[in-house]
Amino acid sequence: RWFTHFYVVSVLWNGFLLICLFRAEFLGNSLPSWIQDMHHALGRDSQSKDMGNEHFSALLVLLLLWLHSCRRLAECLWTSVFSSGVIHIVQYCFGLGYYIAVGSTVLCQVPTNVRNGKKLSVQICWYHIIGVTMYIWASLHQHRCLAILANLRKSRSGKVVSLSHSVPFGDWFESVSCPHYFAELLIYVSMAITLGIHNVTWWCVVMYVLFNQALAAVLCHEFYQKNFSSYPKHRKAFIPLVF
């Protein structure tokens, strides 16, 4: 339930960064001075050539990240049915910091001088199309899987009747125990593709998401196997047919 706080922070913070970058790219405004100081500290305070595609890619990924946070916030508020489980204070603080850092990571892919006052010339490339298509596909499946989990605790009328755990079926649940975690990984991979595939920094973010979600998936998978004797044996924990 407290994950809701993460998405509130992400919607506000990354929405702010998105507005700043949009104004800088399309209106020729400068980024706030404190952002320029952060860029300078990270060695991203200038550019030697025009990199219009990279600028548009970063703007697009920041938009996708913000939309992802908006959807997850809406699901936390109106779709998911949470049990009485608790979160460790360290994990809570780390989660808040993560959603601030991940948006800043995207912004830092663009030098502070942005385009030297020139407005951005949008040029859509093949990796933008593939990345956004994959993002939409993974997001739809993640939402369906979260809805399936929520409906396990609701009556046909939509009223919450139980907070206990049950075995989910349908959509990607037929292949893995935690398809919503797998979809999260695909969403971050889609952003890496949207950035042009070669961005090493974002692939580091993808690797973090991979290990984080894989660990959570294994724990959930073991829980299902321990508590439900008839749990489908063909299901993997995280990645269909693989892991």
Side-chain angles (χ1 to χ4, degrees):
R1 184 180 293 107
W2 283 45
F3 272 51
T4 304
H5 298 180
F6 300 163
Y7 300 120
V8 169
V9 169
S10 182
V11 168
L12 295 176
W13 171 251
N14 294 317
F16 168 73
L17 295 183
L18 180 62
I19 292 174
C20 289
L21 186 57
F22 180 87
R23 288 167 56 87
E25 296 286 11
F26 287 100
L27 302 180
N29 296 345
S30 298
L31 292 172
S33 58
W34 60 271
I35 292 181
Q36 295 189 38
D37 293 339
M38 178 177 65
H39 277 68
H40 180 72
L42 296 173
R44 292 287 291 172
D45 55 336
S46 64
Q47 62 182 4
S48 58
K49 61 180 180 179
D50 183 26
M51 303 171 67
N53 282 355
E54 285 77 2
H55 287 246
F56 178 65
S57 297
L59 181 65
L60 186 56
V61 168
L62 195 55
L63 174 61
L64 295 180
L65 181 63
W66 181 75
L67 291 174
H68 177 61
S69 301
C70 288
R71 177 180 61 82
R72 290 295 293 118
L73 175 60
E75 289 166 344
C76 285
L77 294 175
W78 297 298
T79 300
S80 298
V81 179
F82 299 104
S83 64
S84 56
V86 296
I87 185 174
H88 195 282
I89 184 63
V90 174
Q91 185 183 10
Y92 178 75
C93 293
F94 182 85
L96 292 176
Y98 170 78
Y99 282 99
I100 292 176
V102 73
S104 303
T105 300
V106 178
L107 190 63
C108 285
Q109 305 312 300
V110 181
T112 46
N113 62 343
V114 188
R115 296 181 59 80
N116 295 316
K118 299 178 182 179
K119 296 181 181 179
L120 178 65
S121 177
V122 177
Q123 183 177 354
I124 298 177
C125 300
W126 61 269
Y127 50 81
H128 295 145
I129 297 174
I130 293 177
V132 172
T133 300
M134 183 178 179
Y135 171 89
I136 295 173
W137 174 65
S139 297
L140 287 174
H141 278 284
Q142 187 177 56
H143 176 73
R144 290 174 186 171
C145 292
L146 291 170
I148 288 173
L149 287 175
N151 289 335
L152 291 174
R153 296 177 172 178
K154 297 179 181 179
S155 64
R156 291 186 176 181
S157 63
K159 182 179 179 180
V160 177
V161 295
S162 173
L163 295 181
S164 62
H165 294 278
S166 303
V167 178
F169 292 92
D171 204 78
W172 287 355
F173 278 110
E174 300 302 321
S175 301
V176 291
S177 296
C178 301
H180 46 308
Y181 295 155
F182 178 54
E184 184 81 2
L185 173 63
L186 293 180
I187 287 170
Y188 278 84
V189 170
S190 73
M191 294 181 191
I193 295 173
T194 304
L195 278 172
I197 301 179
H198 61 273
N199 191 294
V200 176
T201 301
W202 194 257
W203 281 112
C204 291
V205 176
V206 172
M207 291 303 294
Y208 162 76
V209 174
L210 169 62
F211 289 114
N212 177 274
Q213 300 297 295
L215 174 60
V218 167
L219 294 175
C220 288
H221 185 66
E222 292 176 348
F223 173 86
Y224 282 130
Q225 291 179 322
K226 179 181 179 180
N227 291 275
F228 300 97
S229 58
S230 60
Y231 191 72
K233 297 184 181 301
H234 67 276
R235 291 189 189 179
K236 298 295 184 180
F238 184 46
I239 301 177
L241 305 176
V242 178
F243 174 72

